[in-house]
Amino acid sequence: MSALKCGVLLSGSGTNLQAILDQIERGLPVEVVHVLSSRPDAFGIERARAVGIPTTVFDRSVYADPQQADARIVEVMRAAGAEYLVMAGYMRMLTPVVLQAYPDHVLNLHPALLPSFKGAHAIRDAWDAGVKVTGVTVHFANEEYDRGPIVAQRAVPVLEGDTIEALEERIHAVEHELYPQVLRAIAEGRMSMDAEGKVHIHEA
């Protein structure tokens, strides 16, 4: 089985990238062929460079024209041979330029159980709402923010006596497990989408 070739988009520390790289070391059939950062100071770029993954770094000026920026993303990722794009803390909304180049092949990770608590402050919003259960969602990105087809979800309970910091730590731990599991399912051909656009992951 050939490795699934993925390009990773990030904006920050790159902990989800690192989780994927760690699982690749343990046999995950995925190859990260390129990492692109929307910020020059993102530590995720250093993680990629440390293991020899080619990188591209944008700064704020590149996004003056979002469509032109996304055209460059497509160019870079196609040249790298990326079959899927994996958003790992990428804090820019992708335009149709990327989404149409990679239809149903752009994955995003969200720290809540979509469709609840969309947006950039999902953990805080769930905490403030007083929910007893939140979680993690992997979904396909589309032109509506946090509304693409859901690929996988996992619940994370809010515990008695919890702090938001402890909850956030547990959510991130689940992210680091769930994202590689989804990539494995895709690499092994165990993911499908039905005629209604619902995604199914089949047991190995």
Side-chain angles (χ1 to χ4, degrees):
M1 178 177 59
S2 59
L4 179 72
K5 297 183 184 300
C6 294
V8 174
L9 307 177
L10 55 79
S11 300
S13 63
T15 58
N16 277 295
L17 168 64
Q18 190 64 56
I20 293 167
L21 296 176
D22 290 346
Q23 289 302 315
I24 289 171
E25 285 289 311
R26 299 183 180 103
L28 178 68
V30 168
E31 178 186 359
V32 178
V33 295
H34 204 95
V35 173
L36 184 144
S37 173
S38 66
R39 290 174 47 189
D41 61 347
F43 186 68
I45 285 294
E46 301 308 318
R47 295 180 191 271
R49 289 172 176 162
V51 292
I53 298 171
T55 61
T56 296
V57 179
F58 286 176
D59 60 25
R60 186 172 296 180
S61 68
V62 176
Y63 292 97
D65 184 336
Q67 291 191 334
Q68 188 172 22
D70 279 7
R72 288 181 61 185
I73 291 174
V74 171
E75 181 182 0
V76 165
M77 292 302 182
R78 280 181 169 168
E83 302 168 87
Y84 272 77
L85 300 187
V86 177
M87 299 171 71
Y90 184 69
M91 302 307 290
R92 296 275 181 172
M93 187 169 179
L94 294 172
T95 71
V97 173
V98 171
L99 299 173
Q100 290 172 12
Y102 284 91
D104 296 325
H105 280 61
V106 181
L107 291 166
N108 188 41
L109 186 66
H110 187 75
L113 294 175
L114 292 175
S116 298
F117 307 113
K118 301 180 185 72
H121 307 289
I123 297 175
R124 167 61 68 180
D125 291 345
W127 177 263
D128 289 346
V131 298
K132 300 303 182 186
V133 178
T134 182
V136 174
T137 302
V138 178
H139 68 100
F140 284 122
N142 64 11
E143 294 174 31
E144 295 185 77
Y145 197 69
D146 291 338
R147 287 182 179 270
I150 291 170
V151 178
Q153 291 184 311
R154 186 172 297 171
V156 176
V158 180
L159 304 178
E160 195 70 33
D162 234 346
T163 64
I164 189 170
E165 292 79 13
L167 175 62
E168 185 170 3
E169 189 173 320
R170 293 201 310 281
I171 286 173
H172 291 325
V174 170
E175 290 176 350
H176 298 162
E177 293 178 0
L178 189 60
Y179 227 176
Q181 288 174 4
V182 166
L183 292 174
R184 179 179 290 279
I186 294 171
E188 294 177 351
R190 294 188 289 108
M191 186 192 73
S192 64
M193 183 180 291
D194 64 26
E196 296 178 350
K198 292 183 179 179
V199 179
H200 305 275
I201 291 181
H202 311 281
E203 294 297 322

